[in-house]
Amino acid sequence: MAGILERYRKFYDFGDDFPIISLEEGNTPLIPAKKVADAVMQKSGKKGIRVFLKFEGLNPTGSFKDRGMTYAVSQAVAQGHTHIICASTGNTSAAAAAYGARAGLKTLIILPGGKVALGKLSQAILYGASIVEIDGNFDQALDIVRDLGATGKVCIVNSINPYRLQGQKTGAFEVCDALGEAPDDLYIPVGNAGNITAYWIGFKEYADKDITRKRPRMNGYEAEGSAAIVLKRKIEKPETLATAIRIGNPASWQAAEAARDESGGRIDSVTDDEIVAAYQFLAANEGVFCEPSSAASVAGLLKASELDQVKDNATIVCVLTGNGLKDPDSAIKFGNPERAQLPADSAQVAEFFKL
Ligand SMILES: *Cc1c(COP(=O)(O)O)cnc(C)c1O
């Protein structure tokens, strides 16, 4: 299966000689989630709800960022750049480093020190990127990237690069292709607010071209400790264990509000406890291992169910943005503590398992 730029080539205007840098990203599964649907119906009293998980953790570097990075890095090559640069809470840097390596570019990465999950950092290191951890948060890292980008010596591959969103819109295309129609509701985590913006671009494009008849309500969820859009103000010191959405000044703030308003959706927040509960529920009941930030979409859906914000017979898609293996520390911290170290002895093991 080809990557997203080849599969959806007719939705782009690049020519035959465009240098596509791809790891065959996209084509991720849309997994039915009956246990989540049952929980939604139980909490809301509504009937006929269908829930699907768009599991973006199965992209080549383990997050949806690959969809945008294939296009941004291909453009960087087409424009003759030798260096790409990004600020990152982790997944953007992993994707940039991978596609940068494949393209033969030098990848420069600025990270909020001590706030990047282990899996993401290890990826950037092995892909060979040059990495600076700053004593500061993501928003400050992005400010530095903007400064260095202004020198003209490096190509910025954060989502302020418009090609990123144009690549990420293919997530919406795939959802519609799999369902045969747009869903009624999309639930999605919101950090820098690029992905909610990109999905809305994709859903609108399919409806405008009459590939689908309707457009979904866009429901975005920030973490409570970094809920700038919900609170209508920048958060100077964003805090949440969902590090991928630990962003206090979202770059696509206005575009995300437009997606919300044009679609009749909402942007709300979920607490870290709600995020962890959804993270555990998905793993233990659906067998789906996403990272904590990704679970904000399902946490949002469960919150909306309690607030009577879901409708009878709705088809709902929750985007799970990244793979759980990215963040082994959280899995061990919040996973089932029923574990033991025992001698190699059948009787003792049987006793521990209560067999
Ligand atoms: C980047 C990222 C987000 C946030 O996406 P935005 O486009 O910044 O809103 C959410 N979850 C994961 C796993 C991510 O990597």
Side-chain angles (χ1 to χ4, degrees):
M1 187 59 89
I4 56 132
L5 294 178
E6 276 179 55
R7 283 174 50 223
Y8 292 109
R9 195 175 193 117
K10 64 176 187 245
F11 295 90
Y12 296 97
D13 56 10
F14 52 76
D16 289 342
D17 56 349
F18 187 64
I20 293 178
I21 307 297
S22 172
L23 286 161
E24 308 213 349
E25 59 292 317
N27 197 33
T28 57
L30 188 68
I31 305 172
K34 189 171 177 307
K35 305 276 180 41
V36 178
D38 287 345
V40 169
M41 289 190 278
Q42 201 220 327
K43 284 176 193 289
S44 66
K46 294 285 165 24
K47 55 182 176 17
I49 306 267
R50 294 194 304 161
V51 176
F52 296 88
L53 308 170
K54 180 64 173 160
F55 191 26
E56 289 290 276
L58 295 181
N59 274 297
T61 78
S63 86
F64 74 84
K65 300 298 197 299
D66 295 342
R67 293 179 186 276
M69 207 54 77
T70 181
Y71 200 13
V73 171
S74 299
Q75 282 288 353
V77 171
Q79 292 164 9
H81 285 285
T82 56
H83 292 63
I84 55 175
I85 191 168
C86 65
S88 180
T89 60
N91 282 333
T92 297
S93 64
Y99 287 82
R102 199 162 170 85
L105 302 178
K106 180 96 186 146
T107 303
L108 314 179
I109 288 168
I110 308 179
L111 302 173
K115 296 290 182 185
V116 173
L118 191 61
K120 306 177 189 185
L121 186 59
S122 58
Q123 286 178 290
I125 292 170
L126 193 69
Y127 290 134
S130 191
I131 302 168
V132 172
E133 293 186 71
I134 58 163
D135 180 13
N137 59 35
F138 171 84
D139 304 286
Q140 293 168 302
L142 186 58
D143 286 342
I144 297 171
V145 163
R146 289 182 202 265
D147 287 344
L148 299 188
T151 64
K153 293 180 184 158
V154 292
C155 176
I156 299 176
V157 295
N158 278 104
S159 58
I160 53 177
N161 176 328
Y163 299 112
R164 282 276 311 280
L165 301 192
Q166 285 298 321
Q168 286 170 213
K169 74 182 178 186
T170 58
F173 294 171
E174 289 181 11
V175 166
C176 297
D177 290 347
L179 293 174
E181 180 49 90
D184 297 300
D185 284 277
L186 189 87
Y187 282 77
I188 187 166
V190 173
N192 221 9
N195 211 27
I196 188 171
T197 303
Y199 267 81
W200 185 233
I201 294 171
F203 285 125
K204 280 195 298 190
E205 205 165 322
Y206 256 33
D208 290 348
K209 293 195 157 80
D210 290 326
I211 301 167
T212 49
R213 275 168 297 141
K214 62 186 181 193
R215 308 187 303 190
R217 286 178 290 267
M218 303 294 290
N219 306 299
Y221 284 82
E222 299 184 291
E224 190 182 61
S226 57
I229 300 175
V230 175
L231 297 173
K232 300 189 176 70
R233 61 178 167 82
K234 287 183 205 174
I235 311 295
E236 293 299 331
K237 291 198 167 63
E239 269 314 333
T240 169
L241 62 81
T243 49
I245 54 174
R246 186 175 171 273
I247 293 173
N249 184 19
S252 298
W253 189 324
Q254 281 160 349
E257 287 182 332
R260 173 196 65 194
D261 299 341
E262 289 169 26
S263 72
R266 81 183 74 85
I267 296 180
D268 197 355
S269 64
V270 282
T271 65
D272 279 7
D273 286 349
E274 289 169 326
I275 289 171
V276 169
Y279 171 63
Q280 293 167 324
F281 186 94
L282 285 168
N285 296 286
E286 298 285 8
V288 175
F289 186 23
C290 66
E291 61 175 286
S293 306
S294 305
S297 59
V298 172
L301 172 58
L302 296 174
K303 178 177 178 180
S305 307
E306 280 173 359
L307 296 176
D308 202 21
Q309 293 168 325
V310 299
K311 301 207 161 91
D312 281 327
N313 303 313
T315 296
I316 298 170
V317 170
C318 295
V319 181
L320 297 183
T321 44
N323 196 305
L325 292 170
K326 295 272 194 175
D327 187 358
D329 294 323
S330 290
I332 290 165
K333 185 166 172 198
F334 298 115
N336 186 353
E338 214 173 276
R339 293 197 294 162
Q341 290 191 331
L342 294 172
D345 176 76
S346 302
Q348 289 188 49
V349 174
E351 191 188 351
F352 176 75
F353 286 143
K354 302 193 184 70
L355 294 175

PDB file of all heavy atoms in Angstrom, residues 289-304:
ATOM      1  N   PHE A 289      -3.867  -0.120  22.832  1.00  0.00           N
ATOM      2  CA  PHE A 289      -2.850   0.532  23.654  1.00  0.00           C
ATOM      3  C   PHE A 289      -2.447   1.847  22.986  1.00  0.00           C
ATOM      4  O   PHE A 289      -1.660   1.861  22.042  1.00  0.00           O
ATOM      5  CB  PHE A 289      -1.657  -0.421  23.766  1.00  0.00           C
ATOM      6  CG  PHE A 289      -0.548  -0.012  24.689  1.00  0.00           C
ATOM      7  CD1 PHE A 289      -0.742   0.872  25.735  1.00  0.00           C
ATOM      8  CD2 PHE A 289       0.713  -0.568  24.521  1.00  0.00           C
ATOM      9  CE1 PHE A 289       0.299   1.218  26.586  1.00  0.00           C
ATOM     10  CE2 PHE A 289       1.767  -0.244  25.370  1.00  0.00           C
ATOM     11  CZ  PHE A 289       1.559   0.660  26.401  1.00  0.00           C
ATOM     12  N   CYS A 290      -3.024   2.931  23.463  1.00  0.00           N
ATOM     13  CA  CYS A 290      -2.663   4.253  22.934  1.00  0.00           C
ATOM     14  C   CYS A 290      -1.883   4.995  24.001  1.00  0.00           C
ATOM     15  O   CYS A 290      -1.764   4.537  25.131  1.00  0.00           O
ATOM     16  CB  CYS A 290      -3.909   5.043  22.542  1.00  0.00           C
ATOM     17  SG  CYS A 290      -4.977   5.487  23.935  1.00  0.00           S
ATOM     18  N   GLU A 291      -1.350   6.155  23.654  1.00  0.00           N
ATOM     19  CA  GLU A 291      -0.657   6.929  24.688  1.00  0.00           C
ATOM     20  C   GLU A 291      -1.673   7.793  25.443  1.00  0.00           C
ATOM     21  O   GLU A 291      -2.784   8.026  24.947  1.00  0.00           O
ATOM     22  CB  GLU A 291       0.484   7.741  24.100  1.00  0.00           C
ATOM     23  CG  GLU A 291       0.109   8.767  23.058  1.00  0.00           C
ATOM     24  CD  GLU A 291       1.328   9.591  22.654  1.00  0.00           C
ATOM     25  OE1 GLU A 291       1.743  10.433  23.452  1.00  0.00           O
ATOM     26  OE2 GLU A 291       1.857   9.376  21.544  1.00  0.00           O
ATOM     27  N   PRO A 292      -1.332   8.268  26.646  1.00  0.00           N
ATOM     28  CA  PRO A 292      -2.318   8.991  27.452  1.00  0.00           C
ATOM     29  C   PRO A 292      -2.976  10.159  26.700  1.00  0.00           C
ATOM     30  O   PRO A 292      -4.210  10.304  26.757  1.00  0.00           O
ATOM     31  CB  PRO A 292      -1.510   9.475  28.662  1.00  0.00           C
ATOM     32  CG  PRO A 292      -0.447   8.434  28.826  1.00  0.00           C
ATOM     33  CD  PRO A 292      -0.086   8.025  27.424  1.00  0.00           C
ATOM     34  N   SER A 293      -2.210  10.965  25.990  1.00  0.00           N
ATOM     35  CA  SER A 293      -2.800  12.112  25.290  1.00  0.00           C
ATOM     36  C   SER A 293      -3.895  11.676  24.322  1.00  0.00           C
ATOM     37  O   SER A 293      -4.902  12.362  24.163  1.00  0.00           O
ATOM     38  CB  SER A 293      -1.737  12.850  24.492  1.00  0.00           C
ATOM     39  OG  SER A 293      -0.662  13.210  25.313  1.00  0.00           O
ATOM     40  N   SER A 294      -3.680  10.547  23.670  1.00  0.00           N
ATOM     41  CA  SER A 294      -4.652  10.047  22.695  1.00  0.00           C
ATOM     42  C   SER A 294      -5.982   9.736  23.359  1.00  0.00           C
ATOM     43  O   SER A 294      -7.043   9.917  22.763  1.00  0.00           O
ATOM     44  CB  SER A 294      -4.124   8.770  22.042  1.00  0.00           C
ATOM     45  OG  SER A 294      -2.862   8.976  21.488  1.00  0.00           O
ATOM     46  N   ALA A 295      -5.910   9.249  24.591  1.00  0.00           N
ATOM     47  CA  ALA A 295      -7.128   8.849  25.310  1.00  0.00           C
ATOM     48  C   ALA A 295      -8.007  10.048  25.649  1.00  0.00           C
ATOM     49  O   ALA A 295      -9.163   9.870  26.058  1.00  0.00           O
ATOM     50  CB  ALA A 295      -6.751   8.077  26.577  1.00  0.00           C
ATOM     51  N   ALA A 296      -7.504  11.262  25.451  1.00  0.00           N
ATOM     52  CA  ALA A 296      -8.328  12.456  25.705  1.00  0.00           C
ATOM     53  C   ALA A 296      -9.578  12.455  24.827  1.00  0.00           C
ATOM     54  O   ALA A 296     -10.621  12.981  25.233  1.00  0.00           O
ATOM     55  CB  ALA A 296      -7.508  13.728  25.466  1.00  0.00           C
ATOM     56  N   SER A 297      -9.485  11.852  23.625  1.00  0.00           N
ATOM     57  CA  SER A 297     -10.678  11.814  22.760  1.00  0.00           C
ATOM     58  C   SER A 297     -11.766  10.953  23.381  1.00  0.00           C
ATOM     59  O   SER A 297     -12.932  11.360  23.432  1.00  0.00           O
ATOM     60  CB  SER A 297     -10.308  11.298  21.358  1.00  0.00           C
ATOM     61  OG  SER A 297      -9.752  10.007  21.418  1.00  0.00           O
ATOM     62  N   VAL A 298     -11.393   9.778  23.861  1.00  0.00           N
ATOM     63  CA  VAL A 298     -12.380   8.876  24.466  1.00  0.00           C
ATOM     64  C   VAL A 298     -12.837   9.426  25.828  1.00  0.00           C
ATOM     65  O   VAL A 298     -14.020   9.350  26.165  1.00  0.00           O
ATOM     66  CB  VAL A 298     -11.800   7.449  24.587  1.00  0.00           C
ATOM     67  CG1 VAL A 298     -12.720   6.542  25.396  1.00  0.00           C
ATOM     68  CG2 VAL A 298     -11.570   6.871  23.195  1.00  0.00           C
ATOM     69  N   ALA A 299     -11.916  10.016  26.580  1.00  0.00           N
ATOM     70  CA  ALA A 299     -12.309  10.667  27.837  1.00  0.00           C
ATOM     71  C   ALA A 299     -13.342  11.756  27.552  1.00  0.00           C
ATOM     72  O   ALA A 299     -14.329  11.918  28.291  1.00  0.00           O
ATOM     73  CB  ALA A 299     -11.083  11.256  28.532  1.00  0.00           C
ATOM     74  N   GLY A 300     -13.137  12.484  26.466  1.00  0.00           N
ATOM     75  CA  GLY A 300     -14.085  13.531  26.077  1.00  0.00           C
ATOM     76  C   GLY A 300     -15.446  12.950  25.726  1.00  0.00           C
ATOM     77  O   GLY A 300     -16.489  13.471  26.125  1.00  0.00           O
ATOM     78  N   LEU A 301     -15.444  11.840  24.989  1.00  0.00           N
ATOM     79  CA  LEU A 301     -16.711  11.200  24.615  1.00  0.00           C
ATOM     80  C   LEU A 301     -17.461  10.715  25.857  1.00  0.00           C
ATOM     81  O   LEU A 301     -18.689  10.884  25.951  1.00  0.00           O
ATOM     82  CB  LEU A 301     -16.436  10.027  23.662  1.00  0.00           C
ATOM     83  CG  LEU A 301     -17.628   9.137  23.325  1.00  0.00           C
ATOM     84  CD1 LEU A 301     -18.773   9.924  22.704  1.00  0.00           C
ATOM     85  CD2 LEU A 301     -17.194   8.000  22.391  1.00  0.00           C
ATOM     86  N   LEU A 302     -16.737  10.142  26.806  1.00  0.00           N
ATOM     87  CA  LEU A 302     -17.398   9.657  28.028  1.00  0.00           C
ATOM     88  C   LEU A 302     -17.948  10.832  28.838  1.00  0.00           C
ATOM     89  O   LEU A 302     -19.049  10.763  29.398  1.00  0.00           O
ATOM     90  CB  LEU A 302     -16.435   8.803  28.855  1.00  0.00           C
ATOM     91  CG  LEU A 302     -15.991   7.506  28.157  1.00  0.00           C
ATOM     92  CD1 LEU A 302     -14.933   6.781  28.975  1.00  0.00           C
ATOM     93  CD2 LEU A 302     -17.187   6.584  27.889  1.00  0.00           C
ATOM     94  N   LYS A 303     -17.206  11.947  28.869  1.00  0.00           N
ATOM     95  CA  LYS A 303     -17.703  13.149  29.548  1.00  0.00           C
ATOM     96  C   LYS A 303     -18.960  13.676  28.844  1.00  0.00           C
ATOM     97  O   LYS A 303     -19.961  14.001  29.489  1.00  0.00           O
ATOM     98  CB  LYS A 303     -16.609  14.223  29.575  1.00  0.00           C
ATOM     99  CG  LYS A 303     -17.058  15.520  30.227  1.00  0.00           C
ATOM    100  CD  LYS A 303     -15.921  16.543  30.316  1.00  0.00           C
ATOM    101  CE  LYS A 303     -16.421  17.847  30.931  1.00  0.00           C
ATOM    102  NZ  LYS A 303     -15.354  18.865  31.043  1.00  0.00           N
ATOM    103  N   ALA A 304     -18.899  13.721  27.525  1.00  0.00           N
ATOM    104  CA  ALA A 304     -20.048  14.227  26.752  1.00  0.00           C
ATOM    105  C   ALA A 304     -21.287  13.353  26.982  1.00  0.00           C
ATOM    106  O   ALA A 304     -22.418  13.851  26.994  1.00  0.00           O
ATOM    107  CB  ALA A 304     -19.696  14.268  25.264  1.00  0.00           C
TER     108      ALA A 304
END
